[in-house]
């Protein structure tokens, strides 16, 4: 069965790929608004892992609305959630028999409720799978340690292709460089450089 | 990493074992109150799959309380949930570094909330994993079709080792054979006879 997995090049979506690998023909799919070329970082991680890779074009209007939401809220939660929901809807229309993402049990965002998952499945005729949603933070950390080679550091220094990179860029373009620190809290990111 | 998986011999817990197999040293663990020898059905399924197998002794007082609850409620939901919670607590004390069960996204019972999962992990120092909680009914059915050999039929004709078998037996012992049909709705069960 062909499965398309939303892929950022980070540890969660890479671990999700490994979990699904023995059941599905997994294609790693990196969503991009076309604002930056950060999707190429995900392609590099994908090449190191040996999975098929492709990109998924998102609607630039969704990015603009997400930045409006960032500025209004002063925090990124709703913006990231809206972009993730849009990405899943787009991925569901790409012809895969199953789609998946790297959301974890302990994630606050993005999250997909059971009702949202069933709606996605019913409207598009696909299975939606969140292979890490039954794994807590500790379990994920231990599996990453055992199975992935990663580099990690503050968001602004690590090259990956999550939605944050493009939203940051659009925010800088609209409001200047100081705006980023005001809405994105400091946190460490990871980028996967290989599988063990 | 050693992982103990609550195992009934049915399709959900068998599929959970396959999902975890490439990340953990999985032992299939069948809980029993010692009321019947239905746990031997799970052992037979386990032998067909090649995983390690053992039993876990549950507290008979919990079975009595569950039957009280069955009779009071007139349906099995709360009773099954209480037994599952007890089984997870007991399993968490058995020395595994991770424990797991076969609960699915679309299951009403048993279910384990994020807060319950985190509490279990914090109190016992184990990871709790629900590998099927990110899979809907359709995805599970398709994976079972692809990977497991199963036999299925009405609950009373299929030999498996879920909590229902022992609670049914205890209910008959206390209230006579007619009591079972009043609280357990007719539904089909599956028993796994092999992996593909």
């Amino acid at each position: 069965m062909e499965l398309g997995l939303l892929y950022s090049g980070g540890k969660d979506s890479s671990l999700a790929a490994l979990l699904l690998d023995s059941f599905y023909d997994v294609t790693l799919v990196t969503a991009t608004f076309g604002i930056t070329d950060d999707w190429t970082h995900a392609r590099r991680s994908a090449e190191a892992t040996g999975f098929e890779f492709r990109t998924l074009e998102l609607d630039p209007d969704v990015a603009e609305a997400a930045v409006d939401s960032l500025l209004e809220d002063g925090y990124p939660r709703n913006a990231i959630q809206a972009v993730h929901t849009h990405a899943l809807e787009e991925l569901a229309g790409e012809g895969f028999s199953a789609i998946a993402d790297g959301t974890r049990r302990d994630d606050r965002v993005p999250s997909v409720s059971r009702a949202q998952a069933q709606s996605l499945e019913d409207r598009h005729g696909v299975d939606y799978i969140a292979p890490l949603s039954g794994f807590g933070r500790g379990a994920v950390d231990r599996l990453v340690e055992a199975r992935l080679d990663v580099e990690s550091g503050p968001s602004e220094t690590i090259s990956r292709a999550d939605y944050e990179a493009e939203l940051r860029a659009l925010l800088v373009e609209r409001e200047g460089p100081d705006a980023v620190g005001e809405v994105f809290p400091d946190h460490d990111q990871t980028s996967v450089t290989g599988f063990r």
Side-chain angles (χ1 to χ4, degrees), chain A:
Chain A
M1 287 174 282
E2 298 285 336
L3 179 143
L5 169 67
L6 281 181
Y7 187 68
S8 70
K11 62 188 167 69
D12 294 340
S13 51
S14 296
L15 193 58
L18 280 182
L19 269 164
L20 295 167
D21 189 30
S22 59
F23 290 92
Y24 295 96
D25 296 323
V26 176
T27 298
L28 307 180
V29 182
T30 298
T32 175
F33 290 108
I35 296 169
T36 71
D37 62 357
D38 281 298
W39 64 269
T40 59
H41 303 309
R43 183 179 62 188
R44 205 176 52 218
S45 295
E47 282 167 358
T49 64
F51 283 97
E52 290 291 309
F53 174 82
R54 50 165 289 197
T55 57
L56 175 70
E57 200 175 315
L58 299 184
D59 180 352
D61 288 347
V62 172
E64 296 287 349
V67 169
D68 292 342
S69 157
L70 281 174
L71 291 167
E72 195 175 313
D73 296 340
Y75 53 83
R77 202 165 66 225
N78 297 330
I80 298 288
Q81 182 67 42
V83 173
H84 189 67
T85 301
H86 170 60
L88 282 176
E89 292 288 337
E90 293 300 307
L91 181 59
E94 292 290 301
F96 293 103
S97 54
I99 63 171
D101 62 26
T103 56
R104 304 181 306 179
R105 186 190 78 193
D106 298 342
D107 278 346
R108 294 182 63 196
V109 287
S111 71
V112 179
S113 71
R114 182 164 73 173
Q116 285 174 303
Q118 289 169 338
S119 166
L120 196 63
E121 291 178 333
D122 293 345
R123 286 180 294 107
H124 294 281
V126 296
D127 291 332
Y128 163 72
I129 296 159
L132 292 188
S133 71
F135 291 74
R137 192 178 307 269
V140 169
D141 288 348
R142 278 179 271 282
L143 292 180
V144 166
E145 173 74 23
R147 301 295 296 271
L148 302 179
D149 295 317
V150 299
E151 55 181 6
S152 64
S155 299
E156 60 274 23
T157 69
I158 288 293
S159 301
R160 42 183 269 163
D162 57 1
Y163 315 125
E164 197 176 315
E166 288 192 299
L167 295 185
R168 280 170 177 260
L170 187 56
L171 188 60
V172 168
E173 188 184 308
R174 279 174 46 174
E175 307 290 324
D178 294 344
V180 170
E182 288 165 25
V183 297
F184 285 103
D186 286 334
H187 64 290
D188 278 5
Q189 297 279 24
T190 54
S191 174
V192 169
T193 57
F195 285 2
R196 282 177 201 160

